[in-house]
Amino acid sequence: MPPLIQKWNELKDEDKDLFPLLECLSSVATALQSGFLPYCEPVYQRCVTLVQKTLAQAMMYTQHPEQYEAPDKDFMIVALDLLSGLAEGLGGHVEQLVARSNIMTLLFQCMQDSMPEVRQSSFALLGDLTKACFIHVKPCIAEFMPILGTNLNPEFISVCNNATWAIGEICMQMGAEMQPYVQMVLNNLVEIINRPNTPKTLLENTAITIGRLGYVCPQEVAPMLQQFIRPWCTSLRNIRDNEEKDSAFRGICMMIGVNPGGVVQDFIFFCDAVASWVSPKDDLRDMFYKILHGFKDQVGEDNWQQFSEQFPPLLKERLAAFYGV
């Protein structure tokens, strides 16, 4: 660290040699985690300053283009990315730094920047701050959610991806208080998951966020179940067991509880998605068990036999072994 910090102190805010250094420090901060604490304060402050300076310069250029130069927004982008690295690496320790700065105000401006790369980095930082110190994000949610909603536009894949991910993280922190914002984002998410040729990462992120929305607000999301259940199941059957997949599947189970009719036509896809789990937590496994047995009981033994004849052999085996159907 000492030679990196020395270089950091030598470089002026306008020096493009800052770019590789900021990128390097971002990786170091993420890897060192709390080990980066002794260095975090000056690094954090300078990133905030870089964002602030770039925004001020952009404003002056917009108002008086004949007097001022357009800013190089890369300074702001790498600074936002390093702030993301700090939030991810330091977790809750970043809270005091955020408390003593105006980063949320700056972030509000960055999220509305005309340049997609600035918005992309802003939404990544928003997601990381949501995980690290939601106490500072929560007061801004009413202002931030409409901006997130308008950026659910797959023309800009990376912007859309990060906005989608941030909404999912916000859901998990907001819980039922997410209700007023569901309609701002849900239709766009359902549209994206049904689009042909949507990149795999965006599909997976969209499915997870729809699941998380349904987890915290099942009554609001469940009526649309039939419109997304098939692509939802096919996009999440391939991802490995993790926390995001866990919360998304809990959401889908809760929505099926509210609107079981929404899954009937595509139930084979749900069975296949359930079978993709290697080791679900016990209570999630119970949710799957109840839904599978509930469906079987409702259609009756003969109809279930006919239905399960369509299953590929491996799927049939797994469901019999894990869930006794």
Side-chain angles (χ1 to χ4, degrees):
M1 282 306 294
L4 285 175
I5 294 294
Q6 187 188 341
K7 189 80 180 149
W8 171 267
N9 292 330
E10 285 167 13
L11 293 173
K12 292 198 160 52
D13 281 352
E14 299 71 36
D15 194 328
K16 292 203 171 163
D17 285 344
L18 269 177
F19 296 162
L21 181 59
L22 284 162
E23 283 169 15
C24 165
L25 284 171
S26 180
S27 302
V28 171
T30 310
L32 281 183
Q33 298 186 337
S34 59
F36 197 78
L37 274 173
Y39 315 99
C40 67
E41 186 126 11
V43 172
Y44 180 90
Q45 295 304 346
R46 187 167 195 184
C47 288
V48 173
T49 305
L50 284 168
V51 173
Q52 200 155 0
K53 277 187 177 175
T54 312
L55 285 171
Q57 206 181 333
M59 192 177 280
M60 297 201 311
Y61 172 71
T62 309
Q63 289 167 352
H64 308 285
E66 67 292 339
Q67 285 177 330
Y68 295 98
E69 278 184 36
D72 182 344
K73 288 186 178 172
D74 284 344
F75 283 102
M76 181 154 71
I77 294 164
V78 288
L80 290 166
D81 291 344
L82 176 44
L83 287 169
S84 275
L86 286 175
E88 195 183 330
L90 298 173
H93 294 296
V94 84
E95 189 272 322
Q96 295 155 325
L97 296 169
V98 174
R100 294 198 295 270
S101 71
N102 60 341
I103 188 64
M104 299 315 295
T105 314
L106 299 173
L107 194 51
F108 181 62
Q109 290 172 267
C110 294
M111 284 166 63
Q112 299 174 82
D113 198 272
S114 57
M115 190 173 172
E117 290 80 1
V118 175
R119 300 201 301 279
Q120 177 186 333
S121 293
S122 308
F123 296 137
L125 177 56
L126 176 60
D128 284 318
L129 290 174
T130 297
K131 290 177 82 161
C133 56
F134 189 62
I135 177 174
H136 297 298
V137 176
K138 194 172 184 185
C140 313
I141 291 297
E143 291 176 309
F144 285 7
M145 283 310 293
I147 302 171
L148 286 163
T150 52
N151 278 278
L152 296 175
N153 170 8
E155 271 177 63
F156 302 104
I157 293 294
S158 301
V159 180
C160 185
N161 209 3
N162 288 0
T164 303
W165 174 70
I167 292 166
E169 291 299 335
I170 289 167
C171 282
M172 297 310 287
Q173 300 287 345
M174 289 283 280
E177 290 179 68
M178 193 69 189
Q179 191 189 345
Y181 309 108
V182 173
Q183 296 316 321
M184 280 179 199
V185 298
L186 183 59
N187 289 335
N188 285 352
L189 291 168
V190 172
E191 203 173 301
I192 292 165
I193 205 169
N194 281 296
R195 271 172 63 112
N197 309 323
T198 303
K200 189 166 155 299
T201 323
L202 180 56
L203 270 182
E204 289 169 4
N205 263 332
T206 305
I208 286 165
T209 296
I210 291 173
R212 288 178 152 190
L213 267 175
Y215 178 58
V216 297
C217 299
Q219 299 292 340
E220 284 69 28
V221 187
M224 292 187 77
L225 196 53
Q226 200 169 346
Q227 293 176 44
F228 61 75
I229 186 72
R230 185 183 290 200
W232 191 94
C233 290
T234 50
S235 58
L236 288 190
R237 70 181 299 279
N238 296 318
I239 71 166
R240 62 180 192 276
D241 296 8
N242 62 23
E243 283 303 314
E244 293 189 338
K245 184 173 177 177
D246 179 275
S247 54
F249 270 82
R250 284 170 195 275
I252 222 74
C253 290
M254 290 171 76
M255 290 188 270
I256 291 171
V258 174
N259 176 18
V263 74
V264 170
Q265 286 178 331
D266 297 304
F267 199 70
I268 189 166
F269 292 93
F270 176 74
C271 294
D272 181 53
V274 165
S276 76
W277 276 88
V278 179
S279 50
K281 291 179 183 162
D282 289 347
D283 57 336
L284 182 60
R285 187 192 292 261
D286 287 344
M287 289 166 120
F288 294 156
Y289 184 93
K290 287 192 177 100
I291 291 170
L292 293 169
H293 279 270
F295 186 84
K296 183 181 174 180
D297 296 345
Q298 196 147 18
V299 297
E301 191 67 42
D302 294 349
N303 287 336
W304 177 263
Q305 284 308 322
Q306 279 178 319
F307 174 67
S308 59
E309 286 306 310
Q310 310 163 39
F311 291 177
L314 188 66
L315 174 58
K316 209 168 176 176
E317 277 169 41
R318 283 188 76 105
L319 290 178
F322 283 98
Y323 301 99
V325 290

